[in-house]
Amino acid sequence: MNEHFTIALAGCPNVGKSTVFNALTGMKQHTGNWAGKTVSCAEGCFKYDDKQFTLADIPGMYSLYANSAEEAAARDFICSENADAAIVVCDASCLERNLYLALQIMEIIPRTLVCVNLIDEAEKKGIHINGEKLRELLGVPVVLTSARSKAGLDELCRELNIMVSSESPPEPLKVELPKDICDEDERRETLIDALSRKAAEIADETVVCDSNEPHKRDRILDRLFVSPKSGIPIMLLLFGLVMWITIVGANYPSELLSRGLFSLGDFLSESLLDIGAPQWVEGILIQGVYKVSAWVISVMLPPMAIFFPLFTLLEDFGYLPRLAFNLDRCFKCAGACGKQAITMAMGLGCNACGVTGCRIIDSPRERLIAIITNNFIPCNGRFPTIIAIIAMFFITVGGAAGGMISAAILLAVILVGVLITLLTSFLLSKTLLKGHAASYTLELPPYRAPQVGKVLIRSLLDRTIFVLARACTAAVPCGMLIWLLANIHINGVSILSMTADFLEPLGNLMGLDGVIIMAFLLGFPANEIVIPIILMTYLSQGSLIEISDRAALSEILTAHGWTLKTAVCMVIFTLFHFPCATTCMTIRKETGSLKWTAVSFLLPTLIGVILCISTNLIFNIFT
């Protein structure tokens, strides 16, 4: 029978721990580039020399003295005696800081192997590690690796196999303390100081640098990206560029995809009718379910397929923690956490992803603030509506110039969302979620060349396909409901039209109309179908219709009473209204509370209604 061993894979954040995990086990565990990205323990198996190893990728931590839920989970696993051995992954370019954790783990798990990773990056900076000397000083196996290229991993497996096969464990270095210290707090502080000094001593003996400034390139880039003068402008420029590429790049594939899917829909419709299917069956399945799903896919997929890879490239490059650093002071003043800036940026792709990303925030109070306010940032599903309105009512030029102006206006809309996020976060921190901003550790990882191939695969599988699948799942019942409302008539009037008439007074008060309010309500499963529902109702159609010509679309909207005031109020309510069904389900899962899910639903809606009514009044006064 094969022997079986459980190995704890530990390390600080941003040391390539998950890359080591993936390389050894073959699993595609996501490799994050900011502190706390790995928030749960992942397991994978691999075999070596007739032995079975289960590798537990525990959350990244800086110390066994936990400061967050993730560090507490990692500490508990290390101290649980469930692991037969440990691999501590260290960053070769900052070995001293990583040795502090390694020394702690060696005290608890004698069978510890130290994996000095990212050796290739360190050598590019002129940093060299004496592995043999490090092994001698620590008293445990030491292997130098570059997990990205799988260099050194065979040696790591061989050393691990030797270590677990040995009858007696290694004799790791022990940091001795004076025996006369009895006070627990004093003993802890003394131990921390002793470990820090020992880590520094070992690093001094084992690390050689070719120059006095091995991190010079990172420091130069940080002067640009996190400088008080240039950090914010560069941030706006970067995200403005991402928005412009997304807008311009998604137009043609979206139109092509729409034509293909709707042509397939026509074929499916004819096929169903040819085999004798009842009209109402064809209506529900094709005119309802299929057309709504096709619209969601054609409008949602191309922008996501562009935005998520660009966002992931920034993540891989190491920019996202700098984003949090730049906005930390703003969020601190709002009683929130700077890491919320990262979750906001994730919300640009999908608010559900942004809500899930709030796990990186350690404080439960600040995490809840970030979850509740994430919907104030427009997601990919709301971009098409905002972009179409901008193009029809605010842009008078075409071509690249028009695209740049559209991107600039869209960026301004997003900044309004950021401002409201800060204001709402402040109000929540003073009312429902009282408290002071908590301290937290934010590591600025080294700048790294993104792995473009892995970025494309990860952004496609982990984000684009996942979000699209959830949106389509929500779109199926929505398509059925829309078709039924549009095709069931009472006294010659469809239920859809009757609902719009009922909502007309509220719509007029908000500078909109009843059709628009009804479209937002029916668009709860997916924001992408708001405009199609509006057009279907205006034109008294029984199913969603496709109008790709913006001139024709503008003519229809104008003919039904749309003005500049309507366009402004429409942008406001698109920006501030209830989260979609997918996001609401995610909020319920993350918070475990119907109360906070309801708050997350009602708060942005209330803000949107108030802002629309105020805008309507201002237009009525001055026009």
Side-chain angles (χ1 to χ4, degrees):
M1 179 180 287
N2 293 341
E3 294 180 275
H4 180 271
F5 298 92
T6 299
I7 312 298
L9 185 64
C12 298
N14 305 304
V15 297
K17 181 168 60 68
S18 294
T19 306
V20 173
F21 177 84
N22 291 340
L24 291 176
T25 66
M27 293 178 65
K28 302 304 180 184
Q29 175 73 1
H30 178 72
T31 305
N33 207 25
W34 62 73
K37 183 63 180 179
T38 305
V39 294
S40 61
C41 178
E43 291 189 352
C45 297
F46 69 97
K47 290 183 179 180
Y48 187 85
D49 192 27
D50 293 328
K51 292 183 178 67
Q52 181 80 19
F53 294 94
T54 295
L55 201 59
D57 182 13
I58 62 178
M61 57 179 171
Y62 296 99
S63 167
L64 292 181
Y65 298 112
N67 292 314
S68 69
E70 288 75 25
E71 287 188 332
R75 176 204 60 203
D76 292 345
F77 189 89
I78 292 294
C79 299
S80 66
E81 300 184 355
N82 290 330
D84 299 299
I87 298 174
V88 181
V89 183
C90 302
D91 184 348
S93 63
C94 46
L95 186 62
E96 178 183 334
R97 185 194 63 198
N98 289 228
L99 285 176
Y100 172 72
L101 174 65
L103 289 171
Q104 288 180 303
I105 294 177
M106 285 159 47
E107 290 276 348
I108 299 172
I109 305 179
R111 295 184 192 274
T112 293
L113 185 154
V114 174
C115 169
V116 183
N117 193 34
L118 303 172
I119 199 72
D120 53 339
E121 291 187 11
E123 290 180 349
K124 288 178 182 178
K125 297 175 181 178
I127 301 173
H128 308 282
I129 308 296
N130 186 335
E132 290 300 321
K133 183 66 174 178
L134 184 59
R135 182 182 189 128
E136 176 188 333
L137 293 173
L138 292 178
V140 298
V142 173
V143 180
L144 308 184
T145 66
S146 176
R148 277 188 172 189
S149 59
K150 298 188 177 182
L153 293 183
D154 286 340
E155 182 185 353
L156 185 148
C157 291
R158 185 168 58 252
E159 290 287 350
L160 178 64
N161 180 51
I162 294 172
M163 183 175 67
V164 299
S165 301
S166 175
E167 293 184 2
S168 58
E171 297 183 5
L173 172 68
K174 301 287 184 180
V175 178
E176 300 294 337
L177 293 179
K179 295 182 180 180
D180 58 346
I181 300 177
C182 298
D183 182 77
E184 187 64 32
D185 290 337
E186 183 181 355
R187 185 176 182 83
R188 173 176 169 172
E189 292 300 323
T190 305
L191 178 59
I192 290 173
D193 182 61
L195 288 169
S196 299
R197 282 189 283 103
K198 181 57 68 174
E201 291 173 9
I202 295 172
D204 285 341
E205 293 189 53
T206 57
V207 179
V208 178
C209 297
D210 293 342
S211 68
N212 294 328
E213 294 185 274
H215 302 285
K216 183 177 179 180
R217 187 197 67 165
D218 288 356
R219 300 295 174 264
I220 292 173
L221 290 174
D222 275 341
R223 291 192 193 103
L224 289 174
F225 291 130
V226 299
S227 164
K229 293 182 179 179
S230 60
I232 298 296
I234 289 178
M235 178 188 73
L236 296 176
L237 183 63
L238 273 175
F239 278 93
L241 182 62
V242 168
M243 291 298 103
W244 179 75
I245 294 173
T246 302
I247 292 169
V248 175
N251 283 338
Y252 180 73
S254 183
E255 182 179 348
L256 195 64
L257 191 58
S258 176
R259 288 179 181 176
L261 289 174
F262 275 82
S263 296
L264 177 60
D266 293 338
F267 171 76
L268 293 174
S269 176
E270 292 176 4
S271 299
L272 271 178
L273 294 175
D274 286 343
I275 63 174
Q279 188 76 41
W280 64 270
V281 171
E282 184 274 339
I284 290 178
L285 294 180
I286 305 301
Q287 306 303 326
V289 172
Y290 179 84
K291 279 197 172 182
V292 169
S293 300
W295 191 283
V296 169
I297 292 171
S298 62
V299 173
M300 194 175 183
L301 180 57
M304 280 201 307
I306 295 172
F307 175 83
F308 278 137
L310 293 174
F311 182 85
T312 313
L313 284 172
L314 292 177
E315 174 189 334
D316 245 28
F317 178 59
Y319 178 73
L320 292 188
R322 274 82 184 176
L323 172 67
F325 182 88
N326 288 332
L327 295 178
D328 179 65
R329 182 174 297 178
C330 297
F331 280 100
K332 186 176 181 180
C333 292
C337 174
K339 289 183 182 179
Q340 189 174 336
I342 298 175
T343 67
M344 279 198 322
M346 293 175 69
L348 289 169
C350 173
N351 291 128
C353 288
V355 169
T356 303
C358 293
R359 295 174 185 173
I360 67 172
I361 300 175
D362 301 327
S363 164
R365 183 189 69 86
E366 292 171 354
R367 188 185 310 127
L368 196 51
I369 289 175
I371 288 173
I372 293 171
T373 59
N374 191 267
N375 191 62
F376 294 131
I377 299 300
C379 66
N380 174 77
R382 286 178 277 174
F383 281 160
T385 299
I386 297 174
I387 293 168
I389 294 172
I390 290 172
M392 289 184 291
F393 291 90
F394 298 93
I395 305 298
T396 58
V397 296
M404 293 182 68
I405 296 173
S406 295
I409 296 175
L410 180 60
L411 183 60
V413 171
I414 294 171
L415 291 178
V416 171
V418 173
L419 178 61
I420 297 298
T421 297
L422 291 170
L423 291 174
T424 308
S425 297
F426 177 77
L427 292 174
L428 287 171
S429 69
K430 298 299 181 183
T431 54
L432 294 176
L433 295 167
K434 288 183 180 180
H436 299 286
S439 61
Y440 66 95
T441 301
L442 176 66
E443 181 182 4
L444 299 183
Y447 294 97
R448 294 169 180 153
Q451 297 175 290
V452 178
K454 290 185 177 180
V455 163
L456 292 175
I457 293 173
R458 194 169 76 231
S459 61
L460 179 64
L461 297 179
D462 291 357
R463 291 174 175 163
T464 304
I465 299 301
F466 170 75
V467 174
L468 189 64
R470 294 186 74 171
C472 288
T473 301
V476 169
C478 178
M480 186 181 300
L481 176 63
I482 291 172
W483 187 88
L484 290 172
L485 292 177
N487 289 274
I488 296 177
H489 294 74
I490 300 175
N491 296 326
V493 181
S494 69
I495 298 178
L496 198 68
S497 298
M498 294 172 63
T499 306
D501 291 340
F502 175 77
L503 294 171
E504 187 72 18
L506 175 61
N508 290 337
L509 181 64
M510 295 171 56
L512 304 169
D513 61 30
V515 171
I516 298 173
I517 302 298
M518 180 197 60
F520 275 104
L521 293 174
L522 292 177
F524 173 59
N527 286 290
E528 291 82 1
I529 59 176
V530 169
I531 289 291
I533 293 173
I534 291 173
L535 294 175
M536 179 182 73
T537 310
Y538 281 159
L539 300 177
S540 300
Q541 298 293 311
S543 64
L544 298 186
I545 59 173
E546 178 196 14
I547 299 179
S548 56
D549 186 350
R550 282 185 177 162
L553 178 59
S554 177
E555 185 177 338
I556 293 171
L557 297 179
T558 304
H560 285 81
W562 280 50
T563 63
L564 180 61
K565 178 182 73 174
T566 313
V568 172
C569 291
M570 182 69 178
V571 170
I572 291 173
F573 201 61
T574 301
L575 186 60
F576 303 115
H577 71 280
F578 43 82
C580 70
T582 302
T583 304
C584 286
M585 289 187 290
T586 306
I587 293 171
R588 175 67 177 87
K589 180 180 178 182
E590 293 297 313
T591 63
S593 168
L594 287 174
K595 169 190 171 183
W596 293 117
T597 305
V599 170
S600 302
F601 183 94
L602 295 173
L603 187 59
T605 308
L606 181 62
I607 290 174
V609 170
I610 292 173
L611 289 177
C612 283
I613 292 173
S614 301
T615 302
N616 185 35
L617 290 174
I618 292 172
F619 266 92
N620 290 340
I621 292 171
F622 291 99
T623 57

